[in-house]
Amino acid sequence: MANHNLNRLTEDIKREISAALPEIKDKRISGEIVSVSHIELTSDLSYCKVYISVLGNERKTKEATECLEKAAGFFVRRINSRIKMRKMPKLMFLPDNSQEYYEKISRIIDELPKPVEDDPTEE
């Protein structure tokens, strides 16, 4: 039962942070496509890791996470006003570079030599 509530709370926090992202008026992320890829919430609600991805390169993602880290108070107030919780977790914004990782793996797979297929007419 507690796991279900934690999952629901995680999705609620993700939805609120995603909805609040366009309201951030920082030059470093204005004009960038910033999204929350996933959230990890500890079971005791002490910490909430928010993984951010930005369409572009790693440098833009790092700048966006630094900007959002400074705006953490804004997100805490917004979440606190919309979701009733006994304890508000500390938000930690982290870069999510999984897209670059997947692209790298895909390139490696594409570069592998193709297996030689048997000629079906040789029988």
Side-chain angles (χ1 to χ4, degrees), residues 49-64:
K49 294 180 182 178
V50 182
Y51 290 91
I52 300 295
S53 63
V54 178
L55 191 61
N57 58 16
E58 274 187 51
R59 184 183 55 80
K60 289 181 182 180
T61 303
K62 186 174 181 188
E63 287 177 1

Side-chain angles (χ1 to χ4, degrees), residues 43-109:
S43 60
D44 64 349
L45 302 179
S46 296
Y47 296 99
C48 180
K49 294 180 182 178
V50 182
Y51 290 91
I52 300 295
S53 63
V54 178
L55 191 61
N57 58 16
E58 274 187 51
R59 184 183 55 80
K60 289 181 182 180
T61 303
K62 186 174 181 188
E63 287 177 1
T65 54
E66 290 171 358
C67 171
L68 295 176
E69 192 71 43
K70 290 182 180 178
F74 166 74
F75 292 110
V76 167
R77 283 189 301 277
R78 181 172 174 128
I79 292 168
N80 221 4
S81 69
R82 297 177 191 254
I83 303 171
K84 300 300 176 204
M85 300 185 323
R86 280 188 243 153
K87 181 179 184 181
M88 186 64 200
K90 179 183 181 336
L91 298 178
M92 297 182 298
F93 292 91
L94 303 168
D96 181 20
N97 298 321
S98 61
Q99 185 65 31
E100 288 88 12
Y101 176 75
Y102 295 139
E103 289 172 4
K104 179 181 175 184
I105 295 297
S106 179
R107 280 193 307 272
I108 291 171
I109 290 172

Side-chain angles (χ1 to χ4, degrees), residues 118-123:
D118 293 335
D119 190 10
T121 60
E122 288 185 3
E123 288 185 19

